[in-house]
Each structure stands twice: as structure tokens, then as C-alpha cells.
Amino acid sequence: MSKPESESEPTPDEYGTAQSESEFESDPVEAFDDAIDMDLRSGADDCYKCSTCDTSCPVAEVDDEFPGPKFQGPEQWRLKRGDDHDIDPSITDCSNCMRCDNACPSSVPLSQMHNTARGEYVEGLAPSLWNAEDAIADGEYREALSYLGDIPAELSIEFVRNRVLSNYGTMAGLGSKFPRLTNFVMSNRITKEVNDRLLGITGERDFPEFADQTFREWWRERGGPKVESADKRVAYFHGDYSNYNTPEVAKAMVRVYERFGYEIRVPTQRCSGTPMFANGMLRDARRAAEVNVTNLGDFIDRGYDVIASCTSCSMALRQEYPELFDFEETEKVSVHTYEALEYLRIHEDLEGELRDVKDVEFPDLAYHAPCHARNQGISTQAVELLSEAEGFEIEDVGDSCSGISGTYGWKTEKYDKSMQIGEDMFEHMRDAEGDTGLTECPTCAMQMGHGTGYEIRHPLEVLEAALVN
Amino acid sequence: MSSHTDHHSRTGVVVIGGGSTGCGIARDLAMRGISVTLVERGNLTHGTTGRMHGLLHSGGRYAVADQESAKECIQETRVLDRIASHCVEMTGGLFAKLPADEEEYFQEKLQGCRDCNIPAEVLSGEEARELEPHLSPEVEKAIWVPDGAIDPFRLCVANAADADRHGGRIETHAPVTDLVVEDDAVVGVKVRHESGPGKRVHGKEGETEEIRADYVVNATGAWAGHVGEMAGLDIEVRPSKGVMTIMNVRQVDTVVNRCKPKGDADIVVPHETTCILGTTDEEVDDPDDYPEEQWEVDLMIDELSQLVPMLEDARTIRSYWGVRPLYEPPDTGTTDPTDISRQFFLLDHDERDDLGGMTSIVGGKFTTYRLMAEKISDHVCEQLGVSTRCETAEEALPGSEDFSVLRDYMDEFGLRSPIGKRSVQRLGSKADEVLKTGEPNPVICTCEAVTRAELRDAIGGSGTDLNAVRLRTRASMGNCQGGFCCHRMASELYPTHDESVVRESLDELYQERWKGQRHALWGEQLSQAMLNHALHATTMNRDRDPAKGSSAVEYADFDAGPGPAVDADGSTRATADGGVPDGGVSNESVTDESVSSGDGGDDAAGGTRGDQ
Ligand SMILES: Cc1cc2nc3c(=O)[nH]c(=O)nc-3n(C[C@H](O)[C@H](O)[C@H](O)COP(=O)(O)OP(=O)(O)OC[C@H]3O[C@@H](n4cnc5c(N)ncnc54)[C@H](O)[C@@H]3O)c2cc1C
Ligand code: SF4
Ligand code: SF4
């Protein structure tokens, strides 16, 4: 690979200024969403009505009111006429686990249909809310007030709740400025009650704690990459969660990759959009995606591949962006993005490295494959890798969905269903030999811990413990 | 023909033919207080009406060549939008100009529309694509006109229902076998009821009836010549066939015409959940027996993908053919069927052939059915000395009185919104009565969103004829073409009807669904057909050998319940392990023949032609 000029300089947009990292920055993005205007009726051509998707939907399994992916996707789209905008509200009950996508023998773009329909639904539900927001952004406060006056209270509350959940980074960005205080407040019984009653965010779960120092702060303090390389270069997409809540995963990624001689860059980025898709907040998702695609695209041009340590983030960049948005570099980012373990297994002999490692920190593991890993064909990577290594005992706890699906399990009205979906997994974990849970997905990890009380690790942490001194 | 007749009856007017024309006449006469009996050999819309394109003509298509027809069209389109709103979707239409199409013709078309009072507006290529994003980037400009889409089945059923409400009698599956002529006048008809008078029930014995009438109207369209022959009349109908290909989804929501002088494959009409491509115009000798050829289907896709490129790779679910009842007055000598006028003709056989008591109506088009019915009803009234005025242009059809599709479907009907919306669109003002049953109401046909309540209502109106149920509801007309719902529909007939009746109805419906798919067996629809076949073979033994077997299914042989089945004589019969000589399967099915013959000309089971 040729060495582009000035490649050793930290790129100007890499660290970002405090300013541009703020979630409140206004982007020069007009409020025009490709996905909302997308017509997917022709996607229904591939459907044979076989119902395989329905039988693999974890929500349909526990929720009799949920009509299932076949209805939500090809049927609903086929029944649509040009001027119809009445998407059935049940679309909001889909957790966006995307298992249906993977199950369909005929490649019907189910999750694309769901995401688009959900976006349309939310758009139709809350035009006044969006208008109010736009008016606020334009400084037209009087106009904004007039929009807000039209809306029934329950509606605006659900909308606000879903926006809060799907814009986790905004909240986390604030919270992590005062991590201890926020952690104290969020774990407070009264706060939980208030969240539950007023916002519909379940009080059954413990809010994830904010780290004292975010990953980006740590990275900056560390002075960026310690390794430079002309041909082994990755741009790291950490996502919000490993930045604010589990920087240990991000740090493990850094140490493992540097151990193999990779030069790592950490581009300025926004949320991948996963929670926004799941809540139909396509406007928010589009804004975030444009920043990500532009910045990651720059790095790809300079010879970097993109890696993510969260399977939902890599899923978003690889599949959902091209399905929903049409930025210039969407396709390029999609084909250059990998999950972090997947990438290392392609390029390095991890099996060989691990073969003789004995005496490891987490020897007995119970692994759960995130649904989004399944769609990328990497749901068996951890088991394949670690079962070859002498120092580990690893067991796959089965192919069920964990049930949390990002924000789904956080909603008061979905909490019980989320736990019902997860029941299989909890039971299998308890039966498994391992006493440490293992998964690539941060929200699956949350659910695994919540349902079993186990300690949960990311494969990168396990690799770090085994391979980095 | 046997001389014995089972029934004798009298009526004011017999209308032969249950297409749009016949149904329209029956309604008109009944509303004028005349006692009327309509007889149709299949189910309603069995003829050309069930095999047309579904375009509610603004008149734009005739605005250059046949302005008389164009003016009638725009006038009648407005009427139908008012009186038949639950059958009509006002989609609008475009005449799109590709670079190869003449500018001069475009201008003539525009001027023609203006001359005929058809609202017309010129759109730039960009504007046209804004309206219809899948239009070809090659389209330079277009003329917008108020075309619409119309459901011929619902329209005919509504007309017949209204005739019935006004005291008329509607007999389907009742072909006229002879005209009764006495003293140089037609005085009645002989019909053969395939399953006795009244609603059709499979397996019921056929009966004959002689219906005497003061007047007879021959509204058998392309078959008018056949009926005429029964009284030695010569009616020069020149049937001309046309193919239509149904796409799985709506690629366009507006009617899209190619803006060039008459030609094959120049129009796409959105119809319910689908789009229909059409058509051709080719004279045939026999309206009941003509070849259905694959090149015709290929032509539709090849030509029309120039206008809407995504059609090229899109899924087609079936194709069907219809025959136009074109009529040419003697001595016109036209050779090309497209040159024959689309106008209609009243042939009073008294004036024309010195045979009193009967008039034939031929030619015309679906869009102007009401006007045709009004004209001939005026004529009949004149013969009968009745002076009541026609009111069909003012009175809404049943189902189209005052209704709105803007409802809270979940709250009101317990249905998901797209299902509720499509149901209410089909049922119109009958929605509340039909859907609010207070009972569980599962969706039976998921492709077309048809619930049990709607099916039961349709069964109430058409007996065991599941093809008629299909036409009323659209059940089994979606992308699985009945693979996943035919049997569910059939089981709605049980226990009112017993197993053999249900099975026969099911076979007939499934046959009919298969027929149209024969012309779409590639790509997705081929996969669908194979999946359907495998499912039906493994669960209903549809791959059985038709040459073997007894007539009844021994259900006890499959599932004798807990413990061995014991017959009255105390003997124990075979159980589910396969110890049955013939596999326990019914066979004698005449219909199996038509499955395997695949020649396209069959129509053994009356009433299975109506298509779409
Ligand atoms: C390919 C094609 C596309 C068309 N597209 C359009 C369009 O988009 N818009 C439009 O306005 N028009 C269209 N037309 C024209 C329109 O379909 C016909 O003009 C109209 O449907 C004719 O109706 P009808 O009632 O006169 O005839 P039919 O519908 O043919 O009715 C005659 C009935 O008589 C019955 N019959 C025959 N013999 C007997 C007997 N012995 N006893 C009892 N009953 C008998 C037949 O079964 C039949 O049901 C199209 C025609 C064709 C062929
Ligand atoms: S994404 Fe998951 S929850 Fe949603 S319909 Fe598909 S399988 Fe069901
Ligand atoms: S699995 Fe695919 S083909 Fe089968 S019903 Fe679902 S969407 Fe249709």
C-alpha cells in the first residue's frame, strides 16, 4: 500500500474540538430524509409468504399482539398505495433485532422495510414535534410553541422518551461530564420512579454507569496512537457506549491491535444510529450518519479500514446506512467496515497466537451471539477461536435473542416481554459451565448481567488478558 | 336437447349476459319498476367484463381517433366516480412522450382532449417523474388527464345487488340454451341451471327452466352471435383478443399511457395491489377458443419497460386474455380490428330481421356501460309502453352511499390499519355491517388483507362458488395466488356444506388460480408455484395419480381419533400408518385433466374464467 502524504500527522478532524464533538452542534443538514421517501413496494416481489421470518421473530414469540415481520414488511408494503401514510402502529413493537432479515430464504429486505416504515410512522405521528424542533433550531420560538400546543401529552411524552433513548450519546455526553454525580442520581430510587412513571423508562434496570474518564479523553491524554504503520491501519468506530460506559473494551481493542502492529485512528464520530433506527428517529439517524460517513470516508481514502467493537455499530455502517441513506460515500464505508474480532481473524493468525496460552484470566466462558452478529455471519467467531485454544473452555448458550435489543428492553411497557425473550438465554447460561459471560454487544451484555448476575466480558477484553503481557 | 323442462316461469324482461352491460340493464329496468330476470352462464363478469383492463377511461385514449366515444367517456367517468365510488380509484392518467414519439401527435392529443372537454395538463418530464418516480428518465413530457381505475367485479355485483333490491332476479351458472320463438317473435328463453335455481351449490343436480318474458335483451357481448343463432339471426360480432399481464406490486399509482397512435402494449393501469400491463388487439374466430401465447406476454414487458424500466425485472403473477365484443355494421369491410369503432350498437331484431321481442346490444366499452344500459332500457320501455325515467346516473350503487375510509381501524374493527383500510375500500358503506360481527376476525388471505368476516359475507352472496367469492373480495388474488389461502377459504364453507362439496369448490378455485400462473412461470412466480405445489402435495395430496382411486376420502383412515376406529359391524379399520389400498384419496376429479393439459383453451368448470 502506498503511503499517502502527511499520513503520520493526526488528522485535523480526528480528535475533533470540544465544540464539534458537542451533540448540540447544528449540522448543515436539511431535514429531508431519503428513507422516509423511499418506496419499497417492489421489495415485496421477493416474498413467497413462507413465514420463515415469523417463526424466527423473538417478539412475535412472546407478544401475541405483534403481527410479525411478514406483515410488517412485505405485506404492509404491498398493501400500500401511493398516497397512503397510515403505517400500522405495531411497527413500533419490532425491536429491530433483524433476525427476520437473516431468516428469509428469499432476501426480502425486511429490516429496511421496517426501518423505513417506522420512520414514516414516527414522522406521521409527530410532524408537529419535528416542526417545533426545526423552529427552535431556526430561532423561531413563537412558532415552535404554536406547534407544541397541538399535541396530546401522552404522545409527546412517548416521543420524548424515545428520543432520549435513541439519542443516548446526547445524554451520556452530559452525564459523563459529572460521572459520579450522574451515576448517583441515576441509580437513585426516586430518579428511577420518575423515569418509570413520567418517561416510561423502566426502573427495573440499573442505569449503566458512566466511566470516570471517557475513552476519547483517555485517548487524547495518551497522545493518540503508539504504533505507526504504512499498511496496517484501522480507523476505530467506538460508538457511544464504549466511549462513555465501557472504555475498558475500547482500550482492550487498542492494546490488542497495537500488539499486532496496527496504527489506530479515532475519527470524530456520532452515534451509529442503531437506537435511532429502532425508534423511527430517522432524521436524527441521518444527521449522525452523514457525519460518520464523511469522516470515515476520509480515512478510508487514506488507506484505513474501519473497525467497530460493537456488532450493532458495524451492522449499521455496513447494512443499514446503504439501505436507508444515499450519501456519496455510504457504499464505500459499508464495504470497508468490519467488526474488530472479525478483522483480526482475517488478517492475523489468532488461533496460532492463542494455542499455547495457558493460565488465562477468564478461562470458563458462556458465550451469547448477538442477533446483529448473526446477520454479519460472525455469530460463531468467538467460539471457533477460543474453543481451539487450550486455555479456554467456551460454550455457546444457544441461538435465542437476548431480548433487550438496545432500547427495546428499557421501555417500561416492553420490559416484561424483553425478559421473557431473554429467559432461554438466562437458563442456558445458568446451565453452562462457564462463570463469565461473553458477547460482542454492549446491550446484550447488559441483559445477560441483569438476568443472571454474571460478569460479562467482550472478546477483545479476553484477548487483551491473554495476549497483551 | 331434451324436451322435458323442470320449471316454468314468467317475467317482464329477460336479460341474457351478466357482464357490465347486462348487470347495468338489469339494475336500470328494475329501478324503473319492471320485473327483470338476468341469466348468466357463469358467474357475474364471466365474460369480457372479468377480463378487461380496469381502466376508467377519461376519454383521453379516444381523443384523437374517436371523439364521440371520448365525450361519452368523460361524462360517464364523472358519473361513476359519484355513484360507484367504492369501485373506483381516481388515480389520474398520463400520456407520456418518449423521444421516438411524434410531437405532432402529442399536440393532437392535447387538442383532442380540450375539444372533448377532458381536463388536460402538460407536465414536463421532471414533473411527471415527481408524480411517478419510476417513469423512465427518457420521458420528455406528458399530458395529465383524469383517468381512473375501476374494479369490474365489485361494480357488477353492486349493480346486480341493486337490481335484486328492486325486485329483480339474478341467476348465475344458468346458460341460455335456446330462445323460445312463437309467431315471429322471441317470447322467452330456455336455461339450464347447473345446480338448480338460486345460489350455486357444488354437486347439486342441474335443472332446466323455461322463462317466458314480454321482452328479451341479448347482452352477451362477444357471444351475441351465438345467442342470435338460436333464433336463426346473423349478428356480425368480430371478437378481438387482448392480453393483460399482472404485476405483483404497484410500480405506478397513476395510469401510464404511451403517447402515440394506437399500438400494442401501450398502457399500465394500477389496480388494487397490482399493476396491469396491456394490451393487444387481434381478431379471433371463436371467443371461447383462441390461443394464449407467450410472445404476447413478452411483448407487454418489453414494450412497457421502455416507459417504466423497473417492469423489466419485476415479478409478474399471472396473465389473462379477454375478447372485445367489437361489432361492425354490415358492409363496412374493415380489415384491422383496431379500426373498428368502440361505439355501441342497438340491434332491434324487429326492425332488422323481422323477429320481434328481442334487441341485442353489442360493442361499446366498460366505462360507458351505464349509458349503454340507459339507452337500451329506454328502448325496452318504449316497446313495453313504460314511461319511467332513468335514475341510474343519480342513485348511488349499494356500497357507494356516503362512506369514508378515514376510520380508526383498530378501534372500530380490531384490524391493523392497512388491513382495515383495504377492507373498507372494498366494502364501502357496507363495512360496518360486514366487519362488526363481534366474533374473532382473523385475516384469511394475507396478501390481499381479506378477513373471515368479509369472506363469510361474500359466501352469503355466492354460495359455494369460491371463484365468485374471490371476485367479490380479492382473496387469493395476491402474490401467493392462493397457495396459502385457498384451503382456508374453502374451510369457511364447512360445516354448512359437507366435505365433498367443500373439496370440489376448493379444487375449482385452486385450478383457476393455477391457470393464469402458467403464463408467469419464471423467476419469483415460478418459485412461488413450486412452493405452493409442494405444500399442497404434502398436505393435501394434490400430486396423487389421477388415474387411480375411489371417489371418497376415508378421513378415518388418516385420523381415527384416539384408539382404532371401530365400524358399526365391530370391525377395525386401517389407521394412519398407510395401510390403505389407494392411499385413502378421492379421485374422479374431472378437473385434474385441465391442470395437466395446459393448453389454455379449457373452461370445463363454468365460472372460472373471470380473472385478474
Ligand atoms: C383486452 C380488453 C381490455 C379492455 N379494457 C377496457 C378498459 O380498460 N376499459 C373499458 O372501459 N373497457 C375495456 N374493454 C372493453 C370492455 O371490457 C367490454 O366492452 C365490456 O366489458 C363488455 O361488457 P358486456 O357486458 O357487453 O360483455 P361481457 O362482459 O362479455 O358479458 C357477456 C356475458 O354473457 C354471457 N353469456 C354468453 N353466452 C351466454 C348464454 N348463452 N347464456 C347466458 N349468458 C351468456 C357471458 O358469459 C358474459 O358474462 C376491454 C376489452 C378487452 C377485450
Ligand atoms: S427485526 Fe426482530 S423483532 Fe423486528 S420483526 Fe424482525 S425478527 Fe421481529
Ligand atoms: S421469510 Fe421471506 S419469503 Fe418467507 S414470508 Fe418472510 S419475507 Fe416472505
Side-chain angles (χ1 to χ4, degrees):
Chain A
M1 195 174 293
S2 74
K3 207 172 166 184
E5 289 164 56
S6 79
E7 90 293 333
S8 60
E9 302 297 316
T11 58
D13 57 354
E14 182 170 352
Y15 297 123
T17 60
Q19 199 75 58
S20 75
E21 252 188 75
S22 153
E23 297 291 340
F24 296 105
E25 86 189 84
S26 60
D27 298 309
V29 178
E30 74 300 0
F32 184 80
D33 295 355
D34 0 22
I36 293 167
D37 292 331
M38 203 176 280
D39 193 325
L40 290 175
R41 280 179 284 182
S42 58
D45 274 3
D46 288 333
C47 176
Y48 308 132
K49 319 293 287 190
C50 69
S51 304
T52 309
C53 50
D54 285 350
T55 61
S56 67
C57 171
V59 173
E61 195 175 333
V62 300
D63 182 352
D64 288 343
E65 298 291 306
F66 182 61
K70 177 170 59 134
F71 170 80
Q72 302 290 357
E75 279 171 7
Q76 174 150 270
W77 272 101
R78 189 172 174 278
L79 288 170
K80 217 168 126 78
R81 291 188 188 167
D83 54 349
D84 284 352
H85 289 291
D86 41 359
I87 303 287
D88 193 70
S90 59
I91 193 71
T92 59
D93 294 336
C94 156
S95 74
N96 203 32
C97 72
M98 299 167 101
R99 290 176 84 91
C100 48
D101 247 17
N102 200 42
C104 174
S106 183
S107 309
V108 172
L110 285 147
S111 65
Q112 184 184 18
M113 290 175 147
H114 299 168
N115 278 330
T116 312
R118 197 157 35 228
E120 223 178 279
Y121 174 74
V122 168
E123 194 73 9
L125 193 69
S128 305
L129 290 161
W130 292 114
N131 286 340
E133 258 203 14
D134 289 349
I136 291 169
D138 295 343
E140 300 286 346
Y141 300 109
R142 199 180 275 267
E143 192 186 327
L145 273 179
S146 74
Y147 286 122
L148 287 171
D150 303 341
I151 300 163
E154 327 84 71
L155 240 179
S156 47
I157 287 171
E158 189 179 315
F159 180 81
V160 169
R161 189 268 316 265
N162 288 354
R163 278 215 86 199
V164 167
L165 286 175
S166 57
N167 286 281
Y168 179 70
T170 312
M171 189 173 58
L174 278 175
S176 65
K177 300 249 165 22
F178 317 97
R180 267 176 257 268
L181 176 64
T182 313
N183 289 340
F184 172 74
V185 172
M186 294 308 285
S187 63
N188 184 295
R189 197 177 47 81
I190 299 173
T191 312
K192 286 184 164 191
E193 286 261 337
V194 169
N195 274 340
D196 204 335
R197 294 262 181 85
L198 285 186
L199 277 177
I201 296 175
T202 180
E204 297 288 334
R205 294 185 191 275
D206 293 322
F207 228 78
E209 283 193 17
F210 293 110
D212 291 343
Q213 186 185 36
T214 68
F215 168 68
R216 292 187 78 91
E217 282 163 3
W218 175 82
W219 180 251
R220 210 168 308 162
E221 200 172 280
R222 182 183 193 250
K226 291 258 174 3
V227 175
E228 288 185 4
S229 166
D231 53 358
K232 292 173 103 178
R233 320 173 119 198
V234 292
Y236 179 40
F237 189 87
H238 47 68
D240 282 333
Y241 203 77
S242 49
N243 184 34
Y244 295 117
N245 302 87
T246 54
E248 59 278 9
V249 170
K251 291 178 203 168
M253 181 306 280
V254 169
R255 293 185 188 121
V256 171
Y257 267 70
E258 289 193 341
R259 146 96 165 59
F260 285 99
Y262 285 85
E263 176 179 321
I264 301 165
R265 297 287 179 183
V266 184
T268 299
Q269 54 193 270
R270 304 271 299 268
C271 167
S272 66
T274 303
M276 300 164 182
F277 302 139
N279 288 287
M281 305 288 166
L282 289 187
R283 293 200 197 205
D284 292 340
R286 187 182 205 278
R287 291 192 183 115
E290 188 170 31
V291 172
N292 294 336
V293 166
T294 313
N295 291 348
L296 296 174
D298 286 351
F299 276 90
I300 292 166
D301 289 341
R302 278 180 273 145
Y304 292 80
D305 282 324
V306 178
I307 55 160
S309 50
C310 160
T311 40
S312 297
C313 291
S314 55
M315 185 73 204
L317 299 180
R318 285 172 139 173
Q319 182 181 325
E320 284 162 318
Y321 283 12
E323 282 181 351
L324 299 172
F325 309 121
D326 197 16
F327 310 118
E328 211 175 305
E329 312 211 88
T330 314
E331 214 41 62
K332 186 167 77 192
V333 170
S334 167
V335 299
H336 282 278
T337 298
Y338 301 84
E339 192 276 335
L341 183 59
E342 174 190 27
Y343 191 77
L344 268 192
R345 287 186 80 215
I346 295 171
H347 296 283
E348 307 299 331
D349 179 18
L350 283 187
E351 274 83 355
E353 297 278 346
L354 284 171
R355 193 163 299 130
D356 303 320
V357 180
K358 301 196 181 69
D359 215 18
V360 296
E361 199 180 335
F362 312 107
D364 295 311
L365 299 163
Y367 174 74
H368 163 77
C371 295
H372 291 175
R374 201 174 301 282
N375 292 45
Q376 295 166 78
I378 52 175
S379 59
T380 54
Q381 59 174 3
V383 174
E384 277 170 23
L385 176 67
L386 296 176
S387 58
E388 288 297 304
E390 214 175 299
F392 296 95
E393 284 302 325
I394 180 165
E395 208 174 321
D396 190 327
V397 298
D399 60 3
S400 61
C401 169
S402 77
I404 191 165
S405 290
T407 57
Y408 178 83
W410 278 96
K411 299 174 184 173
T412 304
E413 75 278 13
K414 302 289 195 307
Y415 175 77
D416 288 340
K417 283 170 199 138
S418 157
M419 294 304 281
Q420 244 175 299
I421 297 171
E423 196 45 55
D424 276 357
M425 181 190 71
F426 303 147
E427 210 180 296
H428 295 167
M429 280 184 71
R430 286 186 216 108
D431 285 350
E433 293 288 324
D435 44 22
T436 306
L438 185 73
T439 191
E440 290 94 339
C441 167
T443 57
C444 287
M446 225 184 261
Q447 176 87 331
M448 292 161 83
H450 182 64
T452 62
Y454 283 28
E455 183 189 0
I456 316 296
R457 295 285 164 183
H458 190 285
L460 287 169
E461 291 177 276
V462 172
L463 282 190
E464 181 197 20
L467 296 178
V468 185
N469 44 59
Chain B
M1 196 166 297
S2 84
S3 53
H4 167 77
T5 304
D6 298 312
H7 303 273
H8 294 269
S9 61
R10 256 218 88 76
T11 187
V13 177
V14 165
V15 177
I16 315 173
S20 52
T21 314
C23 292
I25 298 168
R27 176 191 192 221
D28 196 329
L29 292 174
M31 281 173 71
R32 298 194 208 203
I34 292 171
S35 97
V36 56
T37 300
L38 180 141
V39 288
E40 160 58 51
R41 68 171 178 174
N43 46 27
L44 298 178
T45 75
H46 175 72
T48 308
T49 302
R51 319 194 121 238
M52 49 86 85
H53 205 157
L55 172 65
L56 184 60
H57 283 277
S58 63
R61 277 178 80 82
Y62 304 116
V64 176
D66 187 354
Q67 297 204 340
E68 218 40 54
S69 293
K71 285 177 196 154
E72 283 171 8
C73 283
I74 184 68
Q75 177 197 330
E76 286 301 303
T77 288
R78 293 201 168 113
V79 172
L80 291 182
D81 188 24
R82 197 168 62 236
I83 66 158
S85 53
H86 81 296
C87 311
V88 168
E89 184 189 349
M90 282 317 287
T91 57
L94 294 175
F95 284 89
K97 179 185 178 307
L98 288 174
D101 304 332
E102 300 281 336
E103 173 64 21
E104 199 186 324
Y105 186 75
F106 187 90
Q107 295 305 336
E108 268 173 38
K109 178 71 82 188
L110 187 60
Q111 191 53 46
C113 288
R114 303 223 155 114
D115 293 345
C116 299
N117 272 328
I118 302 165
E121 193 187 325
V122 177
L123 305 182
S124 68
E126 288 69 53
E127 288 167 331
R129 276 181 293 276
E130 210 163 288
L131 192 64
E132 281 306 332
H134 299 305
L135 267 193
S136 162
E138 300 275 292
V139 168
E140 295 173 342
K141 55 180 176 175
I143 304 172
W144 185 94
V145 293
D147 279 341
I150 185 156
D151 189 300
F153 312 115
R154 246 177 273 152
L155 185 87
C156 287
V157 168
N159 271 287
D162 209 26
D164 178 75
R165 199 169 66 177
H166 286 91
R169 175 179 169 206
I170 309 291
E171 286 292 342
T172 57
H173 303 282
V176 167
T177 54
D178 207 357
L179 294 172
V180 185
V181 181
E182 282 170 9
D183 304 328
D184 289 337
V186 177
V187 295
V189 299
K190 287 195 175 174
V191 302
R192 189 183 67 245
H193 294 287
E194 269 160 13
S195 67
K199 276 169 206 146
R200 175 158 180 226
V201 176
H202 284 79
K204 201 164 139 191
E205 279 292 300
E207 287 170 13
T208 52
E209 179 177 359
E210 181 175 304
I211 309 174
R212 296 236 158 196
D214 299 331
Y215 207 78
V216 174
V217 176
N218 173 16
T220 52
W223 293 267
H226 292 187
V227 172
E229 268 169 37
M230 295 173 187
L233 302 171
D234 192 10
I235 303 171
E236 304 78 7
V237 179
R238 290 177 58 180
S240 143
K241 72 166 174 173
V243 66
M244 280 139 296
T245 294
I246 310 182
M247 309 308 293
N248 179 45
V249 297
R250 286 167 69 129
Q251 284 84 9
V252 291
D253 291 301
T254 310
V255 174
V256 179
N257 297 271
R258 177 107 184 242
C259 191
K260 62 175 191 187
K262 70 190 178 201
D264 285 343
D266 62 353
I267 175 167
V268 185
V269 182
H271 181 80
E272 303 281 325
T273 47
T274 70
C275 267
I276 306 181
L277 318 185
T279 178
T280 44
D281 198 342
E282 231 189 294
E283 197 157 339
V284 296
D285 296 330
D286 182 347
D288 282 326
D289 186 12
Y290 50 86
E292 300 176 347
E293 292 163 88
Q294 189 64 35
W295 67 262
E296 300 176 88
V297 176
D298 294 343
L299 180 77
M300 292 307 113
I301 298 168
D302 290 349
E303 282 292 312
L304 285 163
S305 44
Q306 293 178 36
L307 271 184
V308 182
M310 82 187 303
L311 291 173
E312 173 118 49
D313 298 315
R315 173 175 179 174
T316 71
I317 49 182
R318 60 197 283 126
S319 288
Y320 61 99
W321 278 255
V323 278
R324 292 177 192 80
L326 299 184
Y327 173 76
E328 186 171 54
D331 310 325
T332 318
T334 325
T335 49
D336 181 347
T338 61
D339 289 335
I340 301 177
S341 164
R342 274 4 185 204
Q343 281 194 267
F344 63 90
F345 298 88
L346 291 190
L347 311 178
D348 184 329
H349 297 293
D350 196 10
E351 290 166 17
R352 190 176 174 268
D353 312 287
D354 295 325
L355 181 70
M358 181 164 97
T359 290
S360 295
I361 179 158
V362 287
K365 64 191 83 54
F366 181 86
T367 304
T368 54
Y369 89 95
R370 194 209 59 83
L371 185 67
M372 291 161 69
E374 177 177 344
K375 291 274 160 64
I376 196 160
S377 299
D378 285 347
H379 180 74
V380 170
C381 286
E382 207 176 291
Q383 308 299 308
L384 300 180
V386 176
S387 59
T388 346
R389 218 176 57 82
C390 172
E391 286 180 345
T392 56
E394 289 87 45
E395 287 287 316
L397 283 161
S400 284
E401 311 99 336
D402 217 16
F403 76 101
S404 163
V405 292
L406 300 173
R407 323 268 298 243
D408 186 327
Y409 306 106
M410 192 37 93
D411 251 24
E412 289 191 53
F413 308 114
L415 297 177
R416 301 273 163 207
S417 58
I419 295 167
K421 186 162 189 179
R422 295 285 92 93
S423 304
V424 172
Q425 261 159 350
R426 285 188 296 259
L427 290 163
S429 42
K430 280 177 69 188
D432 291 77
E433 177 198 328
V434 172
L435 296 175
K436 290 183 180 168
T437 57
E439 283 174 35
N441 188 20
V443 178
I444 305 282
C445 162
T446 56
C447 299
E448 295 294 323
V450 187
T451 61
R452 170 179 288 163
E454 193 180 342
L455 280 172
R456 289 196 171 160
D457 171 64
I459 289 170
S462 25
T464 63
D465 189 341
L466 290 177
N467 276 303
V469 171
R470 166 176 66 80
L471 297 178
R472 284 166 187 246
T473 59
R474 287 191 64 75
S476 79
M477 290 166 98
N479 53 340
C480 84
Q481 289 285 297
F484 289 76
C485 61
C486 279
H487 44 291
R488 296 186 208 156
M489 290 167 68
S491 52
E492 292 299 322
L493 297 172
Y494 186 82
T496 314
H497 301 279
D498 65 21
E499 181 272 323
S500 64
V501 172
V502 174
R503 175 170 293 269
E504 214 185 303
S505 315
L506 168 61
D507 282 350
E508 191 178 286
L509 173 65
Y510 195 67
Q511 288 284 321
E512 194 285 336
R513 295 287 75 197
W514 163 240
K515 275 191 196 168
Q517 282 177 88
R518 288 173 310 187
H519 305 285
L521 292 183
W522 67 87
E524 292 100 341
Q525 201 60 33
L526 177 57
S527 305
Q528 181 78 64
M530 287 311 295
L531 178 61
N532 289 355
H533 175 70
L535 278 174
H536 283 243
T538 50
T539 58
M540 282 171 272
N541 204 8
R542 237 183 240 290
D543 55 347
R544 63 189 178 252
D545 180 352
K548 279 197 241 152
S550 64
S551 57
V553 179
E554 298 285 346
Y555 279 101
D557 294 345
F558 291 93
D559 183 6
V566 180
D567 278 353
D569 65 0
S571 64
T572 313
R573 290 196 290 154
T575 46
D577 63 8
V580 196
D582 60 7
V585 180
S586 130
N587 218 316
E588 219 194 27
S589 167
V590 261
T591 46
D592 271 11
E593 244 171 55
S594 48
V595 174
S596 43
S597 72
D599 64 4
D602 56 321
D603 194 15
T608 61
R609 296 202 61 133
D611 213 310
Q612 294 200 359

